[in-house]
Amino acid sequence: MTTNKGEVLIRTENLKKVFPGGLHALNGVSQEIRKGEVVVIVGPSGSGKSTFLRSLNLLEVPTEGHIYFDGTDLMGKDVDLDKHRQRMGMVFQHFNLFPHMTILKNMTLAPVKLQKRPKEEVEKQAMELLKRVGLEDRANAYPSQLSGGQKQRIAIVRALCMNPEVMLFDEPTSALDPEMVGEVLNVMKELANEHMTMVVVTHEMGFAREVADRVIFMADGQVQEENDPENFFEHPKSERLKTFLSKIIK
Amino acid sequence: MEWLREQIYNNFIADNRWRYLTNGLKVTLEVTFFAVLIGIVLGLLVAVVRSTYAKTGKMKIGSFLCGIYITVIRGTPVVVQLLIIYFVVFGSVKIDKVFVAIMAFGLNSGAYVAEIFRSGIMSIDDGQFEAGRSLGFSYGKTMLYIIMPQAFKNVLPALGNEFIVLLKETSVAGYIALEDLTKGGDIIRSRTFSAFFPLLTVALIYLVMVTIFTKLVGILERRLRNSDH
């Protein structure tokens, strides 16, 4: 197993998150994500796995702790968060494409406006990405004209257009009809093969087993267990993980 | 037939009385146009401040002040606001009545437009905000590129309606003796002692303007819808 990949890209230190209602979503999570690593996070609902993922680019602001991205503490006071977010792509459960823009515009908006790259260059890159996910003929369509699986593939390449150093996936297939899950997972697998650093929250155990370098099991806002996929699924240590796996894998 | 011709002659032709209507119409359009501009700018500003507070907790004081503005404006009649601005705020200085009317109606419209825009902003799914922020857009740029265009499309019917109301509302400008369309018709009535023709003509002109405006909003709405869905 090659768990030790490149240098550390993201390091979290004792992340805690208490929601206004008093719910403790994160109870001290310390993790390291290395360059090129594919980390899959699984766990029962309410385990804090999505909150953890969303903390990594501070869509969710932790109550306590530190997040170091490429050496910078994102929780620091004078951090230009927007600049750092440009280097972290994110894919959401509900796609969140911009409905008032064409697919091409969805993809080129941020690179052109934020990275100040020439429009022609970005459009060229966007078209190449669209071709890769087999949607080049939909460049001028609007999101509402696409199926869920197509939308999610667009959401992935929209994030890729920014040339991010890490991709965060928040349950990317949970809102999809079953027959569309595969096409999205395939794009993600390809991305992993190209050594993109990925953090994926998902219920797709097959994907975790096949693609992940490391699988993390979260419950009660804490990391309960982590391992390479083989040992994770074949030799779970804690009772909780065993129970969880027995419920999920029939 | 003879009576009709005499009525029309008396009310509109004699002494060039039709000029009361055309000049009045000019004033009405001028006041409405600039009041709409002020209303949009002011409303947009207030709406952004209020929804920023609702979404992020920032701009607390600004949001509080905007809340007071909306409460006061929506809680008092526009005629009273007009009179206060003319006789109290600008009471001691000589000032153009058109300017006063523009300020009063603009200030008034701003409060309603603010609530319309705010409901539009709040109606956009939080996921749109998150997608914008996750790509690296600042809060302001997310608003500008992603939220506002969608919000605007959603509120366009309500916005169009607000401006139709505003156009008709300017008819109370006669309270500060501004000679707008309504006042123009009324002046003719007081000269000729016949109410029917001047006032019905005034009503007809408003109706035509509102109809045209409604059509324009409809066209714009259809355009925006086509570029979507």
Side-chain angles (χ1 to χ4, degrees), chain A residues 170-181:
Chain A
D170 189 4
E171 302 201 22
T173 58
S174 297
L176 295 177
D177 290 336
E179 78 270 22
M180 292 173 178
V181 171

Side-chain angles (χ1 to χ4, degrees), chain A residues 54 57 59 82 85-86 88 90 92 96-101 109-110 113-114 116 142 144-145 158-159 162, chain B residues 125-139 141 145-147 149-150 153 226-229:
Chain A
R54 289 158 53 81
N57 66 354
L59 276 189
D82 297 328
R85 281 187 178 138
Q86 291 176 28
M88 313 166 101
M90 186 155 196
F92 300 86
N96 299 349
L97 295 180
F98 307 134
H100 60 301
M101 296 176 190
L109 183 74
K113 299 282 182 199
L114 296 175
K116 311 283 179 205
Y142 283 87
S144 59
Q145 299 167 314
R158 175 176 72 178
M162 291 290 282
Chain B
D125 184 59
D126 266 341
Q128 293 289 311
F129 262 101
E130 293 188 344
R133 298 311 301 274
S134 78
L135 283 166
F137 284 106
S138 63
Y139 180 84
K141 282 182 180 160
Y145 294 127
I146 295 156
I147 306 303
Q150 297 182 59
K153 188 174 63 82
N226 285 345
S227 74
D228 193 318
H229 295 296

Side-chain angles (χ1 to χ4, degrees), chain B residues 132-193:
Chain B
R133 298 311 301 274
S134 78
L135 283 166
F137 284 106
S138 63
Y139 180 84
K141 282 182 180 160
T142 305
M143 270 288 184
L144 182 66
Y145 294 127
I146 295 156
I147 306 303
M148 279 325 238
Q150 297 182 59
F152 181 73
K153 188 174 63 82
N154 288 354
V155 301
L156 197 64
L159 215 52
N161 195 44
E162 161 61 20
F163 295 138
I164 288 170
V165 170
L166 180 65
L167 172 69
K168 292 183 293 178
E169 231 169 33
T170 58
S171 62
V172 300
Y175 270 91
I176 59 169
L178 178 66
E179 292 184 15
D180 71 328
L181 178 58
T182 306
K183 189 74 178 172
D186 202 42
I187 290 172
I188 297 176
R189 180 192 58 77
S190 67
R191 299 279 152 85
T192 61
F193 300 107

Side-chain angles (χ1 to χ4, degrees), chain B residues 44-56:
Chain B
L44 207 56
L45 226 67
V46 170
V48 167
V49 169
R50 300 238 304 161
S51 46
T52 298
Y53 175 65
K55 281 192 185 292
T56 67

Side-chain angles (χ1 to χ4, degrees), chain A residues 147-164:
Chain A
S147 71
Q150 290 176 326
K151 280 184 197 167
Q152 196 61 301
R153 282 185 278 161
I154 298 296
I156 293 172
V157 289
R158 175 176 72 178
L160 288 178
C161 241
M162 291 290 282
N163 299 319

Side-chain angles (χ1 to χ4, degrees), chain A:
Chain A
M1 289 311 301
T2 51
T3 15
N4 280 336
K5 291 224 165 182
E7 54 194 286
V8 174
L9 184 62
I10 303 176
R11 186 161 63 86
T12 71
E13 219 177 81
N14 197 27
L15 281 193
K16 291 188 180 170
K17 171 80 185 180
V18 185
F19 279 107
L23 175 76
H24 290 255
L26 294 178
N27 284 317
V29 180
S30 301
Q31 278 292 321
E32 281 183 358
I33 290 141
R34 293 172 179 279
K35 277 185 186 160
E37 196 181 17
V38 177
V39 177
V40 172
I41 306 173
V42 300
S45 65
S47 61
K49 54 192 193 304
S50 270
T51 309
F52 173 69
L53 185 83
R54 289 158 53 81
S55 296
L56 295 181
N57 66 354
L58 255 68
L59 276 189
E60 214 72 75
V61 183
T63 323
E64 220 185 295
H66 298 279
I67 301 153
Y68 296 95
F69 174 60
D70 204 13
T72 312
D73 184 2
L74 299 184
M75 295 281 281
K77 272 217 169 336
D78 297 316
V79 177
D80 187 349
L81 206 50
D82 297 328
K83 273 270 175 291
H84 287 95
R85 281 187 178 138
Q86 291 176 28
R87 301 163 61 192
M88 313 166 101
M90 186 155 196
V91 175
F92 300 86
Q93 184 177 355
H94 295 288
F95 332 126
N96 299 349
L97 295 180
F98 307 134
H100 60 301
M101 296 176 190
T102 62
I103 299 310
L104 195 61
K105 191 81 199 286
N106 260 277
M107 296 174 68
T108 56
L109 183 74
V112 170
K113 299 282 182 199
L114 296 175
Q115 296 176 327
K116 311 283 179 205
R117 286 157 58 196
K119 196 171 162 225
E120 297 72 37
E121 180 208 306
V122 180
E123 281 184 354
K124 199 168 150 246
Q125 184 192 4
M127 288 311 293
E128 277 163 16
L129 283 166
L130 282 176
K131 199 172 280 177
R132 267 184 46 188
V133 296
L135 291 170
E136 71 266 35
D137 55 328
R138 309 313 307 271
N140 293 312
Y142 283 87
S144 59
Q145 299 167 314
L146 304 183
S147 71
Q150 290 176 326
K151 280 184 197 167
Q152 196 61 301
R153 282 185 278 161
I154 298 296
I156 293 172
V157 289
R158 175 176 72 178
L160 288 178
C161 241
M162 291 290 282
N163 299 319
E165 290 155 56
V166 56
M167 287 285 285
L168 312 174
F169 292 86
D170 189 4
E171 302 201 22
T173 58
S174 297
L176 295 177
D177 290 336
E179 78 270 22
M180 292 173 178
V181 171
E183 64 193 58
V184 172
L185 291 181
N186 281 338
V187 173
M188 292 168 64
K189 275 177 208 167
E190 259 183 52
L191 211 51
N193 288 338
E194 290 159 22
H195 309 295
M196 172 61 81
T197 312
M198 293 163 68
V199 186
V200 186
V201 170
T202 187
H203 297 293
E204 295 295 328
M205 295 302 147
F207 177 82
R209 199 186 277 258
E210 192 181 335
V211 181
D213 294 307
R214 180 155 58 100
V215 187
I216 294 176
F217 174 61
M218 281 186 75
D220 299 332
Q222 282 175 323
V223 173
Q224 306 286 347
E225 191 167 338
E226 56 180 306
N227 219 328
D228 59 81
E230 202 191 319
N231 283 314
F232 185 90
F233 290 107
E234 303 307 330
H235 311 290
K237 290 184 214 110
S238 64
E239 273 313 307
R240 287 196 80 156
L241 179 54
K242 280 179 196 164
T243 322
F244 176 73
L245 289 177
S246 72
K247 277 184 200 153
I248 290 227
I249 301 167
K250 293 277 146 45

